[in-house]
């Protein structure tokens, strides 16, 4: 595991339920600003049974970036935490749910 992956997983593990982070915010929080794409790439490689809250990470527009079954899985997990998502995958009242 790289230092980046370790920092990312540690930071993601403490992302509270009911809160969201963007890929860029998560990269910055774990000490790697400008690594937003790396965050997405790394999260896409997580095993399906991972306990990390990968589903709490959305793009900078407050929208789910995934497609297909992954989109539906993320949307469902977010709704389970009380985060409202429209049919296109955009978080309703995005700023309210951001992890500050």
């Amino acid at each position: 595991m790289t230092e980046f992956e370790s920092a990312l997983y540690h930071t993601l593990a403490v992302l509270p339920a009911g809160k969201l982070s963007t890929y860029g915010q998560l990269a910055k929080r774990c000490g790697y600003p400008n690594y937003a794409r790396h965050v997405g790439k790394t999260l896409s490689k997580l095993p399906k049974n991972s306990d990390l809250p990968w589903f709490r990470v959305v793009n900078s527009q407050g929208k789910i970036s995934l497609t297909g079954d992954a989109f539906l899985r993320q949307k469902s997990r977010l709704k389970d935490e009380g985060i409202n998502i429209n049919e296109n995958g955009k978080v309703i009242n995005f700023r309210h749910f951001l992890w500050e």
Side-chain angles (χ1 to χ4, degrees):
M1 181 181 310
T2 67
E3 283 183 36
F4 168 71
E5 290 169 332
S6 179
L8 174 62
Y9 297 153
H10 174 75
T11 305
L12 183 58
V14 297
L15 176 54
K19 291 295 181 182
L20 300 171
S21 179
T22 66
Y23 295 99
Q25 287 173 325
L26 194 56
K28 188 175 181 180
R29 267 188 191 264
C30 71
Y32 290 83
N34 303 317
Y35 268 58
R37 287 180 190 254
H38 296 290
V39 168
K41 203 171 257 298
T42 303
L43 294 182
S44 73
K45 296 176 185 175
L46 284 175
K48 287 203 186 270
N49 62 347
S50 174
D51 289 333
L52 290 172
W54 58 269
F55 56 91
R56 295 182 188 141
V57 184
V58 296
N59 69 29
S60 61
Q61 287 80 44
K63 199 170 179 190
I64 296 173
S65 293
L66 304 175
T67 59
D69 288 341
F71 171 88
L72 296 174
R73 196 166 60 248
Q74 183 174 12
K75 185 176 178 183
S76 174
R77 298 283 301 265
L78 292 174
K79 283 188 171 194
D80 288 348
E81 292 195 355
I83 298 172
N84 296 317
I85 311 284
N86 72 17
E87 62 280 349
N88 297 321
K90 180 137 174 67
V91 177
I92 298 166
N93 200 8
F94 175 50
R95 297 267 174 230
H96 173 75
F97 295 105
L98 273 178
W99 184 29
E100 298 295 338

